[in-house]
């Protein structure tokens, strides 16, 4: 019977979690119109729960959905019984966050390189921030092809704490916490710094670098301590004792790189913390120093590494020496790999184990490159001939192919280019030469678009459709593409299907821009008006792409709805005002408000005051209730503890403790109560009786 009861409770939890997370998803998508489900799933480390759906129409594009049910079941199975608080806002930028140091740029072909593991640190951090009941924003960056880093760093902006967390989900990338921002500072000031540059601020206490040791709970506890800890700038005036060395000292001494030294030292940090101390330098801020015992181990390990023999080069070094791309060098080298395995070996280079090419292989690649340059005099490749004749290369190739069967000796493939013999070149010149005068009726692409009052975004795709079967309907004159009369006629016929919108009708996008609002809001209003204004809505092709147009009558109605939604009633106060007034979090205010909103839902409304941002407002009645509740908030009585506090005394995680505690919640609800903690946030606490029961269970 108890097992059945627990199973039913788990089902209820799953449904509640599903409702909470669905609401969070919708809120995030509403606040961030350009965001998509895969972006949120990636943040959660839950891309495996993305499911492709069938297209609604035949020939349409398949959709995508997030399997929340399966995701919730897995979280409950892991004992994660609380919903994850998603970011308030998510911004995607086309810039690299924390640019790579020199050692993080790809060198060599990449052969033998093992893809790093995916560690869902963003999910762990979001779980922690949910436990802390704090709102936050996220900025997602991008990477460049030459970077070793496969995953982009993400910026978590913790406005309640005035801190920034840079986190990456790829193995081997540390987490960085910026502990304090001056009023004139911004997160971009730090996102433009490399890892080595960020490390320079660790001695002062402004930046902390955290290495993931494999235990998500330990990592979360460490991050939590650092987030809650007030910023204290450290100053060290003591010089290092004899024999203690910095990373930089060892790089110079051993002709190595900082990343290699770092990998060795990190193996000893946990067992020998006394080997790592900060000391003042003769100039500049204090730096981390390594004890003589650790220095000996570093020197021993690096001296045992085998360097590449003289004459052996990496893929990129080889490519640079020969004068080809590194991809071409790899492609040619791979063809010679079979039967010549001794030409390929791995050696340490810049702190990494990288594949090197033997001198014999480099010579072979050089000979192959020189062979490409030995084109017989008078032979010209297709693109060069087409350019000189002023025609598209497909025209030249089509005409040349007619002679391949009878004269294969007139064709030679060198690399990726087709070269033609002098005899074939002359034939092609004779055939194509008379194209140089523009025939009557032929018009340039731009002239065709102007003729019909449309843009080339419309006319060019139509032309392309016909040119697949009629290459002769377009030619190059003076570097410009011209269309034949036959093709122009077909374009004109097809354009008749592009219906023009009625006079004064506007696109929905133009309305969005006019009122600085979001597409989500406009579409929401449109859904409520579609039946009543069915004749005032239409789809038209004007600029090459079908768009939604609305009549002046419907546009006026939408304008009225937008302006009405922005009118805040007298006496209503934004939730954010109460957050600042009591120096607390949005969640704390929201939870108090919820106690009264179940019976009085009309006491809460949202008003969109700024672009893409909807503010939550409370009525005068609700504001009065919240203020009274805030004045009654108290600290926990002696002996009452949170799961996280108890986990520091016992050899188990807070998640495991919550599982034990949950068993008693239905029978002893009085053992559970929320009290204010030091950070002024409300947390569930366990009574001394429940703490004793948990300890008793663990001893068994």
């Amino acid at each position: 019977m108890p097992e059945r009861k627990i199973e039913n409770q788990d089902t209820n939890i799953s449904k509640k979690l599903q409702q909470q997370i669905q609401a969070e998803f919708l809120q995030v998508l509403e606040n961030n119109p350009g965001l998509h489900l895969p972006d949120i799933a990636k943040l959660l480390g839950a891309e495996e729960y993305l499911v492709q759906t069938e297209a609604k129409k035949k020939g349409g594009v398949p959709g995508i959905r997030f399997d929340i049910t399966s995701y919730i079941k897995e979280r409950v199975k892991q004992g994660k019984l609380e919903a994850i608080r998603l970011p308030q806002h998510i911004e995607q930028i086309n810039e690299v966050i924390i640019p790579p140091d020199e050692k993080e740029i790809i060198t060599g072909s990449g052969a033998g390189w093992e893809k790093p593991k995916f560690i869902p640190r963003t999910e762990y951090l979001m779980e922690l921030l949910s436990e802390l009941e704090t709102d936050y924003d996220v900025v997602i960056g991008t990477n460049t092809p030459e970077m070793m880093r496969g995953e982009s760093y993400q910026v978590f902006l913790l406005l309640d704490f005035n801190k920034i967390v840079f986190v990456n989900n790829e193995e081997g990338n540390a987490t960085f916490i910026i502990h304090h921002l001056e009023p004139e500072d911004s997160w971009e000031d730090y996102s433009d710094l490399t890892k080595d540059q960020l490390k320079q601020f660790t001695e002062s206490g402004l930046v902390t670098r955290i290495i993931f040791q494999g235990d998500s709970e330990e990592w979360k506890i460490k991050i939590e301590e650092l987030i809650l800890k007030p910023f204290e700038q450290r100053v060290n005036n003591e010089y290092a004792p004899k024999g203690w060395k910095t990373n930089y000292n060892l790089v110079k001494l051993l002709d190595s790189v900082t990343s290699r030294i770092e990998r060795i030292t990190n193996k000893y940090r946990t067992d020998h913390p006394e080997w790592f101390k900060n000391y003042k330098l003769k100039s500049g801020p204090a730096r981390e120093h390594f004890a003589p015992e650790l220095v000996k181990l570093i020197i021993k390990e690096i001296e045992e590494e085998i360097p590449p023999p003289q004459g052996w080069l990496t893929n990129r070094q080889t490519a640079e020496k020969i004068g080809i791309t590194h991809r071409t060098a790899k492609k040619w080298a791979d063809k010679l790999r079979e039967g010549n395995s001794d030409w390929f070996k791995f050696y340490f280079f810049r702190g990494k184990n990288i594949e090197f090419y033997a001198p014999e292989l480099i010579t072979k690649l050089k000979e192959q490159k020189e062979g490409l340059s030995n084109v017989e005099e008078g032979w010209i490749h297709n693109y060069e001939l087409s350019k000189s004749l002023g025609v598209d290369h497909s025209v030249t190739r089509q005409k040349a192919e007619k002679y391949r069967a009878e004269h294969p000796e007139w064709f030679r493939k060198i690399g990726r280019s087709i070269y033609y013999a002098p005899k074939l070149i002359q034939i092609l010149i004779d055939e194509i030469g008379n194209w140089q005068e523009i025939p009557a009726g032929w018009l340039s692409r731009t002239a065709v678009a102007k003729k019909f009052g449309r843009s080339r975004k419309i006319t060019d795709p139509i032309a392309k459709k016909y040119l697949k079967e009629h290459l002769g309907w377009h030619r190059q004159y003076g570097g410009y593409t011209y269309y034949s009369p036959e093709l122009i006629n077909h374009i004109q016929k097809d354009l008749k299907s592009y219906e023009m919108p009625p006079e004064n009708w506007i696109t929905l996008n133009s309305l969005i821009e006019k009122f600085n609002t979001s597409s989500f809001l406009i579409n929401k209003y449109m859904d409520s008006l579609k039946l009543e204004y069915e004749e005032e809505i239409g789809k038209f092709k004007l600029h090459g792409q079908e768009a939604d147009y609305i009549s002046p009558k419907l546009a006026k109605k939408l304008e009225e709805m937008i302006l009405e939604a922005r009118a805040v009633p007298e006496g209503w106060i934004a939730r954010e005002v109460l957050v600042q007034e009591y120096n607390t979090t949005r969640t704390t205010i929201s939870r108090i408000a919820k106690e009264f909103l179940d019976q009085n839902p009309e006491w809460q409304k949202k008003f969109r005051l700024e672009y893409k941002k909807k503010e939550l407002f409370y009525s005068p009645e609700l504001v009065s209730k919240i203020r009274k509740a805030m004045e009654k908030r108290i600290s926990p009585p002696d002996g009452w503890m949170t799961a996280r506090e108890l986990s520091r005394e016992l050899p188990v995680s807070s998640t495991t403790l919550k599982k034990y505690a949950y068993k008693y919640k239905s029978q002893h609800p009085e053992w559970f109560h929320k009290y204010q903690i030091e950070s002024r946030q409300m947390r569930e606490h366990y009574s001394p009786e429940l703490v004793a029961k948990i300890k008793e269970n663990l001893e068994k």
Side-chain angles (χ1 to χ4, degrees):
M1 189 68 181
E3 289 182 4
R4 171 65 63 185
K5 189 173 184 180
I6 291 172
E7 185 179 325
N8 290 336
Q9 288 171 338
D10 284 349
T11 302
N12 292 334
I13 290 170
S14 295
K15 289 180 180 177
K16 186 178 179 182
L17 281 175
Q18 185 166 333
Q19 291 171 353
Q20 289 175 316
I21 291 181
Q22 273 183 324
E24 288 273 346
F25 268 56
L26 292 173
Q27 186 63 53
V28 170
L29 290 172
E30 179 182 348
N31 290 344
N32 304 272
L35 199 67
H36 302 288
L37 273 177
D39 302 316
I40 303 177
K42 191 168 186 178
L43 264 180
L44 290 169
E47 291 175 286
E48 60 189 288
Y49 297 101
L50 290 173
V51 180
Q52 194 169 23
T53 59
E54 294 183 2
K56 292 182 180 179
K57 295 181 181 179
K58 189 175 181 181
V61 180
I64 199 165
R65 70 178 179 85
F66 186 76
D67 186 357
I68 291 184
T69 304
S70 299
Y71 174 68
I72 297 301
K73 283 182 180 178
E74 182 60 29
R75 286 190 64 79
V76 173
K77 185 179 175 183
Q78 295 173 6
K80 298 177 178 180
L81 308 177
E82 297 179 0
I84 289 185
R85 180 194 296 266
L86 294 175
Q88 292 286 299
H89 297 93
I90 301 175
E91 182 182 0
Q92 293 179 302
I93 61 174
N94 192 28
E95 295 176 16
V96 175
I97 295 172
I98 305 185
D101 295 301
E102 184 181 349
K103 59 181 176 292
E104 293 184 286
I105 302 295
I106 294 173
T107 57
S109 65
W113 177 74
E114 185 177 343
K115 185 178 180 180
K117 294 178 183 176
F118 182 88
I119 302 171
R121 295 187 187 93
T122 50
E123 180 188 8
Y124 301 152
L125 181 55
M126 291 163 74
E127 289 174 354
L128 171 61
L129 297 176
S130 301
E131 292 173 15
L132 293 176
E133 299 177 344
T134 186
D135 292 329
Y136 60 97
D137 295 339
V138 171
V139 182
I140 303 172
T142 187
N143 283 348
T144 54
E146 69 272 11
M147 292 172 61
M148 287 181 178
R149 196 188 306 158
E151 295 287 333
S152 168
Y153 263 92
Q154 297 175 37
V155 189
F156 280 68
L157 307 174
L158 314 184
L159 303 181
D160 289 341
F161 296 98
N162 193 31
K163 296 191 179 187
I164 305 171
V165 182
F166 292 103
V167 63
N168 190 294
N169 287 334
E170 189 175 84
E171 180 186 28
N173 288 285
T175 300
F176 293 89
I177 297 183
I178 314 301
H179 291 285
H180 179 74
L181 284 179
E182 295 293 341
E184 65 273 12
D185 290 345
S186 70
W187 64 266
E188 291 99 332
D189 295 332
Y190 294 95
S191 68
D192 290 337
L193 302 178
T194 66
K195 292 179 182 178
D196 283 346
Q197 289 171 331
L198 284 171
K199 289 176 200 172
Q200 294 176 10
F201 295 97
T202 57
E203 311 303 335
S204 64
L206 178 61
V207 175
T208 299
R209 178 172 168 271
I210 303 98
I211 303 295
F212 184 80
Q213 301 291 352
D215 188 318
S216 61
E217 282 302 316
E218 284 186 9
W219 186 83
K220 284 166 66 176
I221 289 171
K222 179 67 176 174
I223 297 289
E224 180 185 17
E225 290 173 351
L226 292 168
I227 288 174
L228 297 177
K229 184 179 179 182
F231 172 62
E232 295 178 1
Q233 195 154 3
R234 296 193 300 263
V235 179
N236 189 343
N237 294 319
E238 186 181 353
Y239 288 105
K242 187 177 181 181
W244 286 68
K245 303 286 185 184
T246 64
N247 190 312
Y248 180 78
N249 296 150
L250 293 171
V251 166
K252 293 294 183 183
L253 177 67
L254 302 169
D255 192 24
S256 185
V257 291
T258 55
S259 59
R260 183 63 187 137
I261 306 293
E262 204 170 273
R263 287 194 188 96
I264 299 172
T265 57
N266 284 339
K267 294 189 294 185
Y268 301 97
R269 282 186 185 275
T270 304
D271 295 335
H272 297 280
E274 71 279 5
W275 288 354
F276 302 83
K277 290 186 179 180
N278 293 326
Y279 290 109
K280 185 180 177 182
L281 299 175
K282 290 182 180 179
S283 62
R287 288 281 185 272
E288 183 177 60
H289 286 66
F290 307 135
E293 298 90 336
L294 180 55
V295 171
K296 288 179 183 178
L297 292 171
I298 296 169
I299 293 173
K300 183 175 182 288
E301 188 165 334
I302 289 183
E303 285 179 345
E304 289 174 355
E305 295 173 354
I306 303 174
Q310 189 173 1
W312 287 64
L313 301 176
T314 65
N315 168 274
R316 286 185 178 271
Q317 290 172 337
T318 301
E320 187 176 342
K321 180 177 181 179
I322 296 174
I324 56 177
T325 67
H326 69 92
R327 291 186 179 87
T328 301
K330 184 182 183 305
K331 183 179 177 182
W332 291 355
D334 286 344
K335 290 180 180 179
L336 299 170
R337 194 179 291 272
E338 189 175 349
N340 300 292
S341 58
D342 55 329
W343 288 357
F344 302 83
K345 289 186 180 179
F346 282 83
Y347 295 102
F348 273 96
F349 178 71
R350 293 182 179 174
K352 296 184 180 297
N353 207 21
I354 294 176
E355 186 177 59
F356 277 74
Y357 296 160
E360 297 87 344
L361 174 58
I362 296 168
T363 301
K364 288 285 185 184
L365 299 181
K366 189 176 180 182
E367 290 172 355
Q368 188 167 346
K369 168 63 167 59
E370 291 171 350
L372 292 181
S373 305
N374 297 331
V375 181
E376 293 180 38
E377 189 176 351
W379 286 65
I380 301 176
H381 64 73
N382 179 30
Y383 280 87
E384 191 177 331
L385 179 61
S386 302
K387 189 176 179 181
S388 65
L389 291 173
V391 297
D392 189 83
H393 65 89
S394 59
V395 176
T396 314
R397 184 173 62 248
Q398 187 183 54
K399 290 185 174 293
E401 287 299 316
K402 296 187 297 183
Y403 301 95
R404 186 184 285 274
E406 189 176 349
H407 297 284
E409 71 278 5
W410 288 356
F411 299 80
R412 187 170 300 168
K413 187 175 182 180
I414 302 176
R416 297 178 63 182
S417 300
I418 300 294
Y419 283 77
Y420 299 147
K423 289 183 179 179
L424 177 58
I425 292 169
Q426 188 58 51
I427 292 173
L428 295 175
I429 290 173
D430 293 340
E431 289 187 14
I432 300 174
N434 59 358
W435 284 23
Q436 296 308 299
E437 292 183 9
I438 303 174
W442 285 64
L443 296 175
S444 69
R445 290 190 297 178
T446 303
V448 171
K450 287 183 178 179
K451 177 182 174 72
F452 300 117
R454 299 297 177 96
S455 73
R456 276 181 47 190
K457 289 182 179 179
I458 296 177
T459 56
D460 282 359
I462 297 174
K464 190 175 180 181
K465 180 175 65 175
Y466 292 101
L467 289 173
K468 289 179 181 178
E469 297 180 3
H470 303 280
L471 281 173
W473 285 2
H474 80 309
R475 299 177 186 173
Q476 295 283 326
Y477 297 104
Y480 295 96
T481 300
Y482 281 72
Y483 293 158
S484 70
E486 297 89 344
L487 179 56
I488 295 170
N489 287 334
H490 279 288
I491 292 172
Q492 185 177 21
K493 289 177 183 177
D494 281 19
L495 283 174
K496 290 180 180 179
S497 64
Y498 285 64
E499 187 180 355
M500 296 285 286
E503 189 177 359
N504 295 327
W505 281 47
I506 62 172
T507 63
L508 285 176
N509 282 337
S510 64
L511 194 66
I512 290 168
E513 291 174 6
K514 179 180 178 181
F515 286 95
N516 258 355
T517 186
S518 70
S519 58
F520 179 88
L521 178 67
I522 295 297
N523 289 330
K524 184 179 176 181
Y525 290 162
M526 285 289 291
D527 288 340
S528 65
L529 298 171
K530 273 181 180 177
L531 291 177
E532 183 181 352
Y533 291 85
E534 188 176 1
E535 299 298 322
E536 313 296 323
I537 305 168
K539 288 185 179 290
F540 301 96
K541 282 186 177 180
L542 184 61
H543 298 295
Q545 192 171 5
E546 195 172 55
D548 291 313
Y549 282 77
I550 57 174
S551 70
K553 181 181 177 182
L554 178 54
K556 185 178 180 181
K557 178 64 177 176
L558 288 170
E559 288 179 11
E560 291 172 356
M561 294 177 74
I562 292 168
L563 294 174
E564 183 182 350
R566 292 181 176 179
V568 181
E570 187 177 354
W572 285 60
I573 293 178
R575 179 182 61 180
E576 198 62 35
V577 172
L578 293 172
V579 169
Q580 295 175 7
E581 183 179 331
Y582 289 100
N583 191 24
T584 185
T585 65
R586 297 184 186 97
T587 304
T588 300
I589 298 295
S590 297
R591 284 185 174 175
I592 296 173
K594 192 176 185 302
E595 297 174 16
F596 306 100
L597 287 171
D598 290 339
Q599 298 297 323
N600 304 280
E602 71 279 5
W603 285 0
Q604 172 181 287
K605 287 184 180 179
K606 286 186 177 181
F607 299 98
R608 193 178 297 274
L609 303 180
E610 299 174 18
Y611 177 55
K612 296 182 183 177
K613 188 176 181 181
K614 214 173 198 180
E615 292 285 350
L616 196 63
F617 280 75
Y618 296 144
S619 70
E621 298 88 344
L622 182 55
V623 170
S624 176
K625 300 280 188 185
I626 292 171
R627 285 192 167 130
K628 287 179 182 178
M630 288 298 294
E631 291 167 4
K632 294 179 181 178
R633 289 167 66 90
I634 58 173
S635 299
D638 289 340
W640 285 67
M641 303 178 72
T642 65
R644 190 161 294 280
E645 288 170 342
L646 190 55
S647 70
R648 293 180 183 134
E649 291 186 9
L650 302 173
V652 291
S653 68
S654 59
T655 303
T656 304
L657 290 174
K658 286 177 184 177
K659 287 183 183 179
Y660 282 114
Y662 179 75
K663 297 176 183 177
Y664 300 97
K665 196 160 192 176
S666 58
Q667 296 177 359
H668 297 282
E670 72 278 6
W671 288 357
F672 299 80
H673 200 281
K674 288 193 175 180
Y675 293 105
Q676 184 171 283
I677 59 175
E678 288 182 5
S679 61
R680 298 191 179 185
Q681 297 162 337
M682 297 296 283
R683 280 287 176 277
E684 186 170 63
H685 285 67
Y686 303 150
S687 70
E689 295 87 347
L690 178 54
V691 170
K693 284 284 185 185
I694 292 173
K695 289 181 177 179
E696 185 182 326
N697 280 334
L698 287 173
E699 288 173 0
K700 291 179 181 179

